[in-house]
Each structure stands twice: as structure tokens, then as C-alpha cells.
Amino acid sequence: MVDIITRDLSHPSARAIFQAARELHPSISLSTVYSTLAMLKALHLVKELEFEGMDNRYDMDTESHVNLLCTRCGRVVDFDFVPPLQNEVETLTGFTISEGRFEYYGICAPCRS
Amino acid sequence: MVDIITRDLSHPSARAIFQAARELHPSISLSTVYSTLAMLKALHLVKELEFEGMDNRYDMDTESHVNLLCTRCGRVVDFDFVPPLQNEVETLTGFTISEGRFEYYGICAPCRS
DNA sequence: CTCCAACCCGGAATGATTCCGAACTGGAGG
DNA sequence: CCTCCAGTTCGGAATCATTCCGGGTTGGAG
């Protein structure tokens, strides 16, 4: 189960993981998917992404990067980048930052053509 | 109702808006708050923010900026900045970007002391 | 005064996620 | 080989923010 999740780099939803897992373990339940995800989240092996109006998605790449969401087909694409201003933001706002989230919404090339 | 929402710059949740609105209009219902928010969203006068594990928050500043969320007290603070890499991301990924979201999670100064 | 559209109401429905207690499993130790 | 136990999984019920719905109110045009 853990393998099924961590090897799926397509930013799947819980339901998509559930369906994929079913093909290997037909008796698996959605509860198991959620509890495994909770465990992996706690270990910082997956990052939970919330996109407006869609199910949560799970990202196996926990490094800091931008996620691009296609609002037409739901595809999520990673884009590496180092957020440049965390220190500056911390000094100017007084926050101690533990995590960042950077997302763009748009239409991907395949959907546009 | 529209005024109550658009003048509240504290990044309130729907429930918080509801409670504030009740003080002026004791008979107001949560449905009205949600439908007004839906209208304002459609007009791009408010931006809906989703933070992991919390109610959605509503931001009256629809300009592009970073939102800092204090995971202890729920306070949300704005931090102006112009996302530097949208064009670069578009050419490298083929996406046509319509909107960006930039969030940091952390602990605010009052909560830390 | 009448009518209509826009707004509002309460309450029920939705649906992803979480919670719960019971059943299963596989390996450690006898 | 058996027993036991902790960890995993199960299904189904509960949660709860949000959405949906059908009916009531209202205020301004004509």
C-alpha cells in the first residue's frame, strides 16, 4: 500500500489511489487509503494539496516547488524553484515559517489544443 | 451584506462573516452568506483561500500576494509581492496561467511569545 | 395596487474525510 | 507447530463545511 502511493507521481486524489490499489488488492477499503496517507503525511513523505473545488491531491515530492493545476483536466505538474523570499518575509512579518505552498491555476497545453 | 463582507479585511471564514452579519441583521442565514460569497467570487471581488484542516477563508484583496497563515491562532496576514516567474513558468510548462496562490504556514509573532 | 425578479430563509442533501470498534495477519517467542 | 500481540485493515456510521432547493418576502417599476 505504501509503495502504491509513493510510486504514483501523478498527484492522485485519495479516490484515484483507492481505485489503483483495488487492482492489486481488490478488497482494500478507502479507510485504509486514508489512514496510510495520514501516516505518510505525518512522516512528511507526502504533501497534501488542496485545490479549489476539487478533491485533495497527494504529492510525493515534498521538496519546495510550484504546482500547476489544469482547471480543465485536473492534471498537476511540478515546476522546480526555490522560493526566494522566505527570510525576507520572516523578518518583515515576524512569522516563523514552517512550510510554503506555491500554486498556479491555468490550462495545460494538451487541453488548449 | 455585500458591504459587511468586503469591508472585513481580516480574512474571515464563512462562519465568522455569518456571526458578524448577525449583529446587524439577526435573522440572516448562513445560506445568504454563502450565496453572497459565491456572487462576489464570480465577480472576482473576493478570493477564496483554502488552508489545510481549516474552514475556507475569504480575502478581499484580490491582488497577487502571499498569505501567511498562523497555524496556532488562524490569523492570516498579507504580504505584497509580485510573483516573478509567471512568464517563465508559462513558456517552460506550456500552461496558460490564470491565477496564482502563494502561501506560507507558520507561527505569528504574538503566538510565539 | 399589482406584479415580478431578486433576494432571503430554513432545512435537507451532498460528499470528502474522519472516526470507530471489530476482524485479520504475520512474525516473535515458546 | 501453536499462541499471542501489535499493527493493519475492514466496513459502516459520523462529521461538518458547503451546496442545493422550494417556498416566502420585499421593493421598485409601471
Side-chain angles (χ1 to χ4, degrees):
Chain A
M1 177 76 247
V2 168
D3 289 345
I4 297 175
I5 293 177
T6 53
R7 287 191 191 136
D8 185 341
L9 303 180
S10 70
H11 308 81
S13 64
R15 188 164 300 274
I17 293 168
F18 173 56
Q19 285 165 354
R22 272 254 159 124
E23 305 195 348
L24 290 180
H25 306 287
S27 73
I28 207 155
S29 80
L30 200 48
S31 317
T32 303
V33 173
Y34 276 111
S35 75
T36 306
L37 283 170
M39 186 185 72
L40 293 172
K41 269 194 290 180
L43 296 171
H44 298 284
L45 293 177
V46 308
K47 203 166 171 182
E48 192 171 38
L49 308 176
E50 294 184 2
F51 290 113
E52 188 158 338
M54 320 191 75
D55 294 0
N56 288 359
R57 309 289 283 269
Y58 296 90
D59 191 342
M60 313 314 154
D61 178 0
T62 56
E63 296 299 308
S64 182
H65 62 269
V66 181
N67 287 113
L68 290 98
L69 170 73
C70 177
T71 54
R72 190 167 300 168
C73 70
R75 184 199 320 270
V76 177
V77 172
D78 292 333
F79 183 84
D80 288 330
F81 104 119
V82 178
L85 37 62
Q86 176 161 338
N87 285 338
E88 185 189 355
V89 172
E90 283 192 325
T91 57
L92 287 172
T93 64
F95 267 66
T96 300
I97 292 170
S98 59
E99 191 191 343
R101 241 166 238 286
F102 306 92
E103 298 162 1
Y104 280 116
Y105 292 74
I107 311 286
C108 68
C111 278
R112 204 156 3 79
S113 53
Chain B
M1 178 74 248
V2 168
D3 290 344
I4 296 175
I5 293 177
T6 53
R7 286 191 192 137
D8 184 342
L9 303 180
S10 70
H11 308 81
S13 64
R15 189 164 300 274
I17 292 168
F18 174 57
Q19 285 166 354
R22 271 254 159 124
E23 304 194 348
L24 290 181
H25 306 286
S27 73
I28 207 155
S29 80
L30 200 47
S31 317
T32 303
V33 173
Y34 276 111
S35 75
T36 306
L37 283 171
M39 185 186 71
L40 293 173
K41 268 194 291 179
L43 296 172
H44 298 284
L45 293 176
V46 308
K47 202 166 171 181
E48 192 172 37
L49 308 176
E50 294 184 2
F51 291 114
E52 188 156 337
M54 320 191 74
D55 294 359
N56 287 359
R57 310 288 285 270
Y58 296 89
D59 191 343
M60 313 315 155
D61 178 1
T62 57
E63 296 299 307
S64 183
H65 62 270
V66 180
N67 287 113
L68 291 97
L69 169 73
C70 176
T71 53
R72 190 168 298 168
C73 70
R75 182 198 322 269
V76 177
V77 173
D78 290 333
F79 183 84
D80 288 329
F81 103 120
V82 178
L85 37 66
Q86 177 162 336
N87 286 339
E88 185 189 353
V89 173
E90 284 191 325
T91 57
L92 287 173
T93 64
F95 268 66
T96 300
I97 293 170
S98 58
E99 190 191 344
R101 241 165 236 288
F102 306 92
E103 298 162 0
Y104 280 116
Y105 292 74
I107 311 289
C108 69
C111 280
R112 204 155 2 80
S113 55

